[in-house]
Amino acid sequence: MSQKVLLSAKEIHIILHRLACQLLETHLDFKNTVLIGLQPRGIFLAKRLTKILKEDYKVKEIDLGFLDITFYRDDFRRGEKTLEANTTKIDFLIEGKRVVFIDDVLYTGRSIRAALTAIQSFGRPMDVELLTLIDRRFSRHLPIMPNYRGRQVDAINDEKVKVMWEENEGEDIIYLINK
């Protein structure tokens, strides 16, 4: 197994600020917008973007939630590995809001399909957008595209994108791993 660095900590930092600026251009004061980090790995990106928007760009209030899609996945109970649910934390209204789903890697699109189904339990959003740090464009099973993307990667199916966050793994770095 070999691995190649896709993005260093400095590159991730630059991309996060660009994504925050793109969100700010579109949503301005975030009064009618909510950010939803998809469990488990999208929450690190969602928290980081929220922190940048508040501290660096002085956005006063941002509704940030976390959505678990485990029981909405189409592969639930298909594998040998038992899936464990994560925590959903959405303590604000979704009805009529602009929702931005945030996830680290867009691969087949199946997680986003599950998130679209899961969010309906909380109300009917005005519209839904997608922000991903890494877009694996040649791996899509469903017609889902991000509105905001950090980096587009041409990874073949044998390759895996591994995103590591300082908060969780001790450093910000993204690898392309060849199995």
Side-chain angles (χ1 to χ4, degrees):
M1 178 167 59
S2 65
Q3 65 184 26
K4 172 181 131 182
V5 174
L6 278 179
L7 295 173
S8 66
K10 183 176 182 177
E11 292 167 313
I12 292 170
H13 175 81
I14 292 166
I15 288 171
L16 292 179
H17 280 267
R18 177 175 49 82
L19 290 170
C21 286
Q22 289 174 340
L23 284 171
L24 197 56
E25 286 176 5
T26 303
H27 300 280
L28 300 174
D29 59 8
F30 289 84
K31 282 190 172 42
N32 201 32
T33 301
V34 300
L35 303 181
I36 304 288
L38 301 184
Q39 290 277 24
R41 312 255 337 142
I43 67 169
F44 301 110
L45 177 56
K47 286 179 181 177
R48 192 76 70 86
L49 285 169
T50 301
K51 182 178 178 185
I52 291 169
L53 287 165
K54 285 182 174 181
E55 292 178 3
D56 295 354
Y57 299 103
K58 308 302 181 215
V59 177
K60 291 187 187 333
E61 289 187 37
I62 300 174
D63 287 325
L64 172 64
F66 309 127
L67 181 64
D68 178 55
I69 59 167
T70 303
F71 300 115
Y72 296 91
R73 295 177 56 93
D74 60 7
D75 61 352
F76 180 64
R77 296 187 197 242
R78 284 194 167 188
E80 294 176 18
K81 181 180 165 191
T82 304
L83 295 175
E84 293 182 27
N86 293 290
T87 304
T88 290
K89 179 189 169 275
I90 298 177
D91 54 3
F92 44 82
L93 294 176
I94 297 289
E95 191 73 33
K97 298 281 182 146
R98 299 177 76 188
V99 172
V100 180
F101 285 144
I102 299 174
D103 206 3
D104 60 348
V105 179
L106 175 57
Y107 182 30
T108 63
R110 293 184 183 280
S111 293
I112 305 308
R113 191 226 34 94
L116 288 166
T117 303
I119 201 68
Q120 296 299 315
S121 300
F122 295 91
R124 184 174 183 218
M126 183 171 63
D127 62 50
V128 178
E129 295 178 339
L130 175 60
L131 180 148
T132 60
L133 185 58
I134 301 293
D135 175 12
R136 291 185 56 163
R137 70 176 175 163
F138 292 138
S139 307
R140 211 79 74 240
H141 294 177
L142 300 170
I144 293 174
M145 298 300 292
N147 301 83
Y148 314 93
R149 82 170 48 94
R151 176 71 52 91
Q152 197 169 55
V153 175
D154 298 335
I156 57 177
N157 288 334
D158 295 10
E159 297 174 319
K160 178 181 168 131
V161 175
K162 183 173 183 180
V163 179
M164 299 177 69
W165 294 105
E166 184 177 343
E167 298 90 311
N168 199 38
E169 288 94 3
E171 67 175 327
D172 288 341
I173 193 162
I174 301 176
Y175 293 106
L176 180 64
I177 300 173
N178 196 342
K179 297 180 184 177

